[in-house]
Amino acid sequence: MEPIYLLEAWKVREMLLRRELTPREVLQAVWERVREVEPRVNAYITETWDAAEEAVREAEKDWSQGKDPGPAAGLPMAVKDILCTRGIRTTCASLILENFVPVYDATVIERLKAAGLTMIGKANMDEFAMGSSTENSYFGPTRNPWDLGRVPGGSSGGSAAAVAAGEALWALGSDTGGSIRQPASFCGLVGMKPTYGRVSRYGLVAFASSLDQVGPITRCVKDCALLLQLICGHDPKDSTSLPEGVPDFLASLEGDVRGMRAGVPRELMGEGIAPGVKRIVVSCFEVLEDLGMKVEEVSLPHLDYALDAYYIIAPAEASSNLARYDGVRYGLRVEGEDVLDMYSRTRARGFGDEVKRRIMLGTYALSAGYYEAYYAQAQKIRTLIIGDFRRAFERCDVLVSPTSPTVAFRLGERLEDPLAMYMSDICTIPVNLAGLPAISVPCGLDQGLPVGFQIMGKLLDEVTVLRVAYALEQALGFRARPDSSKGVG
Amino acid sequence: MIGRKEVEHVAWLARLELSEEEKDKFSQQLGRILEHAERIKSVDTSGVEPTSHVLPLKNVMRDDEVRPGLTQEEALSNAPRREGGYFVVPRIV
Amino acid sequence: MMESWEAVIGLEIHAELKTASKMFCPCDASFGGEPNTKVCPVCLGLPGVLPVLNGKAVELALRLALALNCEILPRALFHRKNYFYPDMPKNYQISQYDQPLGVRGHLEVETEEGSFRVGIHRVHMEEDTGKTVHVGESGRIHGAEYSLEDFNRAGVPLLEIVTEPDIRSPEQAKAFLQELKSIMEHLEVSDCRMEEGSLRCDANVSVRPKGSYIMGVKTEIKNMNSFRALQRALEYEIERQIKLLESGGEVVQETRHWDADSQMTTPLRTKEYAYDYRYFQEPDLVPLELDRDFMERVRASLPELPSQRRRRFREQYGLPAHDARVLTSSKAMGDFFEEVVRLGAPPKAASNWMMGELSAHLNAQNLEVGQIPIGPAHLAELIDLIEKGTISGKIAKEVFQEMVDKGEMPNSIVERRGLTQISDQRELERIVREVVETNPGPVEDYRKGKTQAIGFLVGQVMKRTRGRANPGLVNELLRNLLDG
């Protein structure tokens, strides 16, 4: 049998229900694994041993009284350090929040606590979720468990690496331009960005408010459906939270995909896609066809401009969202002669390079004389992209593509070249601009490194996305795990 | 490239103190990114409405009810400097 | 020389909306309290928080926009106004920009000299900032050693009203602001307490040769904390600009600060940078698209406006125009008056007391109705005592003074101090006879035809009765005795 720390969360849940395992045994197994591999992986910023211990105590008490402590109980979870956790520091991987201890819980954390959350640590990430490699962390880079010389992707790289390395059974990430799907892809995991508005953003430290969304990073589609179920739902504290009811995701997995139509956007299969990645993704098209689906090429012409529009819109919103880190109410403060001096020094010292770069870019794009040419134009491109998707979905049930144009790249490889780094989001960004749900499913190895297959759906249609993902996963039977030659087997 | 003067102005708007090297680096890097983004200007967007919200939500409001907030201690718990229930800031002018 | 110039004034008014909770979070919006005790993660701008719009704030804003005859835009949006200031938790203010709630309205202002119309450029909603306390010898921003921030006011809903530059004199500016204040009070939109900062007013001022259509260079005047300050500051600024122009100088476009101590406006020292607020639509809030039904419901439920009340006071109570205007200058005054009348006082008598003694008292003490210890019942009872002849008008003024100081009911004062008017004929006859007997001189004068000598004798009776004698009866008794 596989070690406990590498099991799917749903399997562990079943074993807990059958009393074949206790929450303490599960936590113990994962905890030992953390101690073994964490020095090499650096998946966590803060390990939350006390919180996990407390959760397990509560769960065992419930079990002993014949009560079910909830579907998340006893299943150690990594939580991206961008979600506010009451009494537990939340840093966003930034020096500016190094010692910030929230006085409230994010809504997703509240919901998960009600379901028995066993949080084992706050996961590493790119500072304020800005990056695609988890190298932009004040707390040092996270390494890919498949190959410690490579990045785990980003910005939710700590969450993905923790799950891939067996340092957690499942994880929460956040996705603004691919920050869940791309690291899931690089680490051989399932990662999903739900429809914008499905999951409350209250307590998710804002990067780009109109694009941010919380979602699961898991070992399989079933775990993804389970975790999604626990975090979705209307929240009166988030004005952009959808009032729509939440379907039963787990029940929807088994449905038939026969006769469904999958569109392949030509714009996401271009020159930028590495040949090895393209070959594996194309082979998946055949698998989908074997499952009775129709796969056809479609064109969404404005996707060619998605990256540029994104790198105007996201930094613009970020420049405003990050203005609050000023040394007055919380966080780092570098004293100065007057307020202006204190602000400028605090922010200069507290923010890393990439964050400064995006604040500068966003401030520029919103400033007088440039607003129309950049920000307003990017918002119009966004409208055109939404229109492209709408037309494609008139014919197709889902759209499919690679999640990332390449497999995990080497640490430091793109650090000095922001544009090259931004290019790794080229396939994931479009759905963020349109607010659509999308998932990345592991679909094979190229040069021994995982490749992710992206499935994009209509607004609020997570059910179809999950169903196709599950069918593909079952048909592929992809079960590779990191090994100890380069990684942490 | 965007000019150093412009980099300095933007840094002032964003309240970021930049070193001389950073000014050079940013003027070059931002220049490259913006050069790439220039492509969006070539798209004909006449008659296209900008999108700020992807969802068709409107009129989201709450009832005017008072709920307890934080205690003063909680409010100030992360303050870098505090005095008598207030946050302390250096002189403003 | 001054006569050949004309002032052009536009006002920008901020009023705090009378909601129980803040604009975007459920914190207590009431004034006062220990610093940082009416705050939550949202109004402190902690990482991760989101705003949720207070529906009552929208309704109140809509009420005023409708009362100011504004066009309500089918789609109103919130924007972020980005600038750094330590009293602003997020370093951006949620405000409205190119699609505010109401635009293109107007207000007709009546004064003794006739009426004038002021265009309303826009009415929009935004959130208030926190309060800064400056620590140092001066107690002001300049020369402070450091400052303290209290965020209790941060996030309180504000309404901003911007007028067109249609105002031509400091008197008009004052009259406009008074009318606007009265409207907001009648609509129960705002408390309009200038001393608590719940009503604030800035002005844009320029001057030009009379008859010219060209706009002069304007200055913006801030920190006018009372109606008097508004009028004085504008008078000062207009005179300053005219003198400057007449001596060949030029007005500089700048922001100036009204200093009530020195009675001068002085330029506000600011860093030499232009502001760039980088407005963009607030992604955390969704658009407001108020439907017709809702708007009509709010319109139909609008309470009586001061102008309507003024007309009704003339028609229903038969009051002169002047009385009606004074009594409706604030909602509290009008309400007070109507309650006094409802309790049985004749309208004109109630009006006279309120415009006379009561107003004099309020002005002298710089108080408002509602801040004094008496209510309508006090005044109604006092008027009733006069009407019934229990006390004289002269005594009533004495009773009034005591009543407004301590809040004691007039009946009780009159009884305690034995001020009841003596109308007992036998008692008065005795006193009159004594007076006639002890004052042979004046009696002689009267009988010789110097009838005005009777005044002296009446005075003597009043003196002996400590003013309580019924003057009519005293006169009658004296004449009977002297003539008979």
Side-chain angles (χ1 to χ4, degrees):
Chain A
M1 198 187 98
E2 272 188 302
I4 296 172
Y5 57 77
L6 285 181
L7 292 175
E8 281 99 337
W10 71 267
K11 277 189 190 151
V12 176
R13 165 82 174 153
E14 288 199 340
M15 291 163 84
L16 287 170
L17 285 168
R18 289 198 300 267
R19 308 295 168 103
E20 293 164 18
L21 273 177
T22 67
R24 184 160 302 283
E25 284 168 337
V26 180
L27 180 61
Q28 201 58 43
V30 175
W31 199 253
E32 277 168 19
R33 177 69 173 171
V34 170
R35 264 182 258 162
E36 183 197 340
V37 302
E38 177 62 5
R40 282 176 286 159
V41 178
N42 194 32
Y44 291 115
I45 291 172
T46 307
E47 288 160 21
T48 56
W49 173 246
D50 290 344
E53 189 51 26
E54 170 69 21
V56 161
R57 237 186 342 263
E58 286 295 309
E60 305 233 296
K61 204 171 81 193
D62 281 357
W63 285 123
S64 71
Q65 293 168 354
K67 276 192 294 189
D68 181 353
L75 306 175
M77 186 183 291
V79 173
K80 188 177 184 181
D81 206 21
I82 196 171
L83 286 161
C84 286
T85 44
R86 189 188 176 104
I88 294 171
R89 74 165 178 168
T90 299
T91 69
C92 282
S94 182
L95 169 59
I96 216 160
L97 287 179
E98 187 184 13
N99 298 310
F100 173 67
V101 180
V103 289
Y104 76 103
D105 272 327
T107 297
V108 286
I109 298 296
E110 256 179 17
R111 280 173 183 269
L112 284 169
K113 277 186 174 173
L117 171 69
T118 307
M119 181 171 74
I120 190 162
K122 300 295 294 287
N124 201 7
M125 53 186 277
D126 285 299
E127 186 180 3
F128 286 102
M130 296 176 189
S132 310
S133 67
T134 316
E135 290 167 292
N136 302 325
S137 167
Y138 173 69
F139 301 91
T142 295
R143 288 161 187 271
N144 192 323
W146 290 77
D147 179 347
L148 295 167
R150 292 178 186 263
V151 303
S155 65
S156 311
S159 297
V163 179
E167 297 188 68
L169 299 188
W170 50 1
L172 281 181
S174 70
D175 191 316
T176 305
S179 283
I180 287 175
R181 290 159 287 153
Q182 186 251 23
S185 164
F186 279 15
C187 292
L189 301 166
V190 173
M192 184 166 197
K193 181 200 95 73
T195 302
Y196 183 82
R198 263 286 196 221
V199 183
S200 169
R201 290 186 296 118
Y202 189 79
L204 167 69
V205 180
F207 160 17
S209 313
S210 76
L211 305 163
D212 296 341
Q213 193 65 178
V214 179
I217 295 178
T218 60
R219 291 184 178 141
C220 63
V221 176
K222 196 165 169 181
D223 282 358
C224 177
L226 281 168
L227 186 46
L228 193 62
Q229 199 79 51
L230 298 180
I231 59 174
C232 283
H234 180 249
D235 178 13
K237 288 181 188 158
D238 177 356
S239 308
T240 62
S241 161
L242 287 162
E244 275 77 6
V246 181
D248 185 339
F249 296 124
L250 198 59
S252 67
L253 293 185
E254 304 281 354
D256 204 353
V257 297
R258 199 165 297 277
M260 280 189 184
R261 211 179 279 267
V264 183
R266 185 188 307 153
E267 294 74 14
L268 301 184
M269 287 294 276
E271 292 161 26
I273 311 298
V277 170
K278 196 180 259 180
R279 193 177 59 247
I280 293 171
V281 168
V282 169
S283 74
C284 287
F285 298 160
E286 287 160 27
V287 176
L288 291 180
E289 280 173 340
D290 290 345
L291 287 166
M293 287 181 67
K294 290 192 180 61
V295 181
E296 60 184 40
E297 193 182 73
V298 292
S299 176
L300 287 77
H302 296 99
L303 293 196
D304 281 343
Y305 303 97
L307 187 79
D308 299 298
Y310 175 87
Y311 277 98
I312 298 294
I313 293 167
E317 291 182 8
S319 71
S320 172
N321 284 330
L322 270 62
R324 70 191 62 194
Y325 306 105
D326 62 2
V328 176
R329 281 146 293 118
Y330 44 79
L332 179 79
R333 164 145 159 182
V334 180
E335 292 295 345
E337 278 181 26
D338 56 16
V339 160
L340 177 63
D341 203 31
M342 186 271 280
Y343 284 161
S344 305
R345 289 189 191 182
T346 297
R347 292 163 63 78
R349 172 139 168 68
F351 292 135
D353 250 20
E354 181 62 23
V355 173
K356 286 184 198 171
R357 193 150 43 231
R358 298 212 198 176
I359 290 175
M360 293 286 290
L361 186 57
T363 304
Y364 179 87
L366 287 174
S367 65
Y370 298 105
Y371 178 93
E372 283 300 325
Y374 290 107
Y375 190 72
Q377 177 73 353
Q379 297 281 58
K380 288 175 187 171
I381 302 273
R382 198 172 177 182
T383 307
L384 293 172
I385 288 170
I386 292 170
D388 282 358
F389 271 114
R390 193 185 309 113
R391 272 185 296 281
F393 279 122
E394 279 167 14
R395 279 184 62 78
C396 305
D397 298 287
V398 291
L399 298 177
V400 295
S401 76
T403 304
S404 169
T406 64
V407 292
F409 45 89
R410 297 194 169 281
L411 262 92
E413 192 181 304
R414 303 189 183 178
L415 217 43
E416 289 309 310
D417 186 354
L419 258 178
M421 186 73 90
Y422 297 173
M423 289 297 178
S424 53
D425 302 331
I426 199 148
C427 296
T428 46
I429 277 172
V431 296
N432 292 84
L433 291 172
L436 307 173
I439 199 168
S440 177
V441 183
C443 64
L445 298 178
D446 177 34
Q447 306 154 59
L449 292 167
V451 173
F453 187 81
Q454 179 173 234
I455 304 163
M456 300 166 265
K458 297 173 192 171
L459 213 62
L460 287 168
D461 194 14
E462 284 84 2
V463 162
T464 303
V465 171
L466 284 165
R467 182 175 296 175
V468 174
Y470 187 68
L472 179 68
E473 179 190 52
Q474 298 304 307
L476 286 170
F478 178 82
R479 278 286 177 277
R481 297 276 182 242
D483 64 36
S484 48
S485 63
K486 291 176 176 168
V488 289
Chain B
M1 285 279 279
I2 70 169
R4 264 177 80 99
K5 271 263 165 296
E6 227 160 4
V7 167
E8 282 169 7
H9 175 65
V10 172
W12 180 79
L13 284 175
R15 300 297 187 273
L16 280 172
E17 186 182 77
L18 298 184
S19 65
E20 294 305 308
E21 300 91 88
E22 279 179 312
K23 285 178 197 168
D24 288 337
K25 189 172 72 181
F26 283 140
S27 94
Q28 189 227 10
Q29 287 178 338
L30 297 184
R32 274 195 61 204
I33 297 165
L34 289 167
E35 203 176 294
H36 198 273
E38 289 286 310
R39 300 168 65 243
I40 66 170
K41 294 184 183 169
S42 67
V43 181
D44 179 10
T45 53
S46 45
V48 177
E49 282 293 310
T51 296
S52 290
H53 288 95
V54 291
L55 305 174
L57 289 171
K58 59 181 185 186
N59 301 338
V60 176
M61 289 179 252
R62 64 180 174 82
D63 292 337
D64 183 27
E65 280 164 11
V66 176
R67 299 231 188 95
L70 300 171
T71 62
Q72 193 186 61
E73 189 45 46
E74 284 174 314
L76 294 161
S77 61
N78 280 293
R81 275 191 66 196
R82 52 192 280 189
E83 179 181 310
Y86 292 93
F87 296 90
V88 178
V89 296
R91 61 189 173 78
I92 294 171
V93 289
Chain C
M1 261 194 308
M2 302 282 278
E3 285 68 42
S4 57
W5 295 89
E6 175 181 66
V8 177
I9 302 167
L11 299 180
E12 192 178 299
I13 296 110
H14 287 93
E16 282 182 356
L17 291 169
K18 214 169 155 179
T19 52
S21 64
K22 291 186 179 179
M23 183 87 163
F24 298 115
C25 65
C27 282
D28 184 353
S30 63
F31 187 78
E34 289 296 302
N36 297 303
T37 54
K38 293 172 176 177
V39 291
C40 73
V42 177
C43 55
L44 272 183
L46 297 189
V49 298
L50 298 169
V52 184
L53 182 59
N54 184 340
K56 181 71 184 283
V58 175
E59 193 192 320
L60 295 181
L62 183 61
R63 267 193 219 169
L64 185 71
L66 290 172
L68 293 178
N69 309 293
C70 284
E71 192 182 306
I72 306 301
L73 294 184
R75 187 178 159 95
L77 302 175
F78 287 95
H79 275 67
R80 290 187 186 176
K81 180 180 183 179
N82 294 286
Y83 66 102
F84 282 79
Y85 207 83
D87 64 9
M88 240 186 2
K90 305 181 291 295
N91 286 319
Y92 60 80
Q93 181 189 31
I94 304 179
S95 182
Q96 294 193 285
Y97 183 51
D98 54 357
Q99 285 174 260
L101 184 74
V103 295
R104 291 182 283 274
H106 66 266
L107 176 62
E108 201 77 33
V109 184
E110 285 176 50
T111 65
E112 302 279 347
E113 290 81 35
S115 69
F116 60 98
R117 175 184 277 219
V118 177
I120 304 295
H121 181 65
R122 57 190 272 143
V123 172
H124 83 234
M125 293 175 273
E126 61 186 30
E127 55 178 342
D128 208 347
T129 60
K131 288 268 173 295
T132 305
V133 180
H134 302 290
V135 180
E137 273 175 38
S138 67
R140 295 190 192 169
I141 188 165
H142 292 286
E145 286 164 42
Y146 59 94
S147 300
L148 302 172
E149 298 296 338
D150 168 15
F151 294 103
N152 284 351
R153 302 313 289 159
V156 168
L158 279 184
L159 208 55
E160 182 178 306
I161 302 122
V162 182
T163 77
E164 298 293 349
D166 292 346
I167 297 168
R168 292 289 170 268
S169 70
E171 296 74 33
Q172 278 193 350
K174 186 178 164 199
F176 170 84
L177 190 61
Q178 271 168 341
E179 179 71 5
L180 182 67
K181 174 176 183 274
S182 181
I183 289 173
M184 289 197 276
E185 288 170 350
H186 279 80
L187 296 175
E188 294 182 334
V189 158
S190 172
D191 278 333
C192 295
R193 298 213 176 100
M194 286 183 104
E195 71 281 7
E196 287 178 4
S198 71
L199 180 66
R200 318 195 267 266
C201 180
D202 301 332
N204 284 306
V205 192
S206 64
V207 296
R208 64 185 175 194
K210 238 182 204 143
S212 164
Y213 287 97
I214 298 160
M215 296 288 249
V217 176
K218 66 185 179 184
T219 56
E220 190 185 359
I221 315 296
K222 289 186 177 289
N223 194 41
M224 298 171 291
N225 299 324
S226 65
F227 290 107
R228 204 184 131 65
L230 173 68
Q231 192 173 346
R232 283 289 306 126
L234 291 176
E235 282 164 2
Y236 176 88
E237 181 61 18
I238 291 166
E239 199 184 317
R240 186 188 73 86
Q241 290 189 11
I242 292 173
K243 277 187 186 157
L244 203 58
L245 293 171
E246 287 188 341
S247 62
E250 272 179 27
V251 176
V252 182
Q253 180 158 357
E254 63 187 355
T255 300
R256 299 178 70 88
H257 186 88
W258 169 248
D259 182 33
D261 294 335
S262 64
Q263 295 277 300
M264 280 165 62
T265 65
T266 49
L268 213 58
R269 268 190 291 151
T270 48
K271 302 254 179 211
E272 288 300 307
Y273 287 103
Y275 277 104
D276 182 348
Y277 293 125
R278 288 159 285 135
Y279 280 100
F280 72 102
Q281 197 180 328
E282 167 59 283
D284 292 331
L285 291 168
V286 302
L288 266 182
E289 293 177 21
L290 302 175
D291 62 72
R292 290 259 148 245
D293 278 3
F294 176 73
M295 258 188 290
E296 288 316 311
R297 267 205 311 282
V298 172
R299 197 194 296 275
S301 71
L302 283 186
E304 187 180 42
L305 292 170
S307 55
Q308 296 164 326
R309 198 177 210 190
R310 218 168 284 141
R311 195 177 318 125
R312 184 167 62 78
F313 276 20
R314 291 202 301 268
E315 288 163 5
Q316 183 179 342
Y317 301 119
L319 294 179
H322 175 71
D323 290 35
R325 192 158 44 244
V326 174
L327 291 176
T328 54
S329 65
S330 84
K331 179 173 190 311
M333 278 288 266
D335 290 349
F336 196 104
F337 167 78
E338 293 211 85
E339 186 58 15
V340 174
V341 173
R342 198 188 64 79
L343 291 169
K348 185 58 185 153
S351 172
N352 287 347
W353 273 96
M354 288 189 61
M355 301 198 351
E357 302 298 313
L358 184 63
S359 292
H361 176 77
L362 293 175
N363 289 340
Q365 306 288 312
N366 196 20
L367 291 171
E368 284 177 52
V369 175
Q371 295 175 316
I372 51 174
I374 65 158
H378 288 82
L379 188 55
E381 192 172 291
L382 184 68
I383 293 171
D384 185 51
L385 286 171
I386 306 164
E387 291 292 315
K388 286 204 306 234
T390 312
I391 56 172
S392 65
K394 188 161 175 284
I395 291 287
K397 289 187 180 175
E398 230 177 273
V399 174
F400 180 87
Q401 273 316 319
E402 200 161 337
M403 157 177 117
V404 287
D405 288 341
K406 298 180 189 135
E408 192 179 351
M409 289 303 284
N411 255 328
S412 149
I413 297 171
V414 166
E415 244 168 64
R416 183 169 50 73
R417 292 189 40 200
L419 296 174
T420 319
Q421 186 162 264
I422 304 170
S423 301
D424 181 325
Q425 188 149 347
R426 217 172 301 158
E427 166 84 12
L428 275 185
E429 267 175 7
R430 190 178 58 75
I431 297 165
V432 166
R433 209 165 291 129
E434 274 175 30
V435 167
V436 168
E437 279 164 13
T438 50
N439 291 284
V443 171
E444 198 58 33
D445 289 348
Y446 177 83
R447 289 195 171 131
K448 279 183 186 152
K450 280 190 174 173
T451 48
Q452 64 269 40
I454 199 163
F456 175 80
L457 297 168
V458 171
Q460 289 302 306
V461 175
M462 287 309 205
K463 204 170 165 189
R464 281 173 188 242
T465 58
R466 284 180 296 132
R468 292 158 57 214
N470 180 332
L473 195 55
V474 171
N475 253 297
E476 193 189 317
L477 290 173
L478 265 174
R479 280 179 210 282
N480 286 347
L481 192 68
L482 296 174
D483 297 344

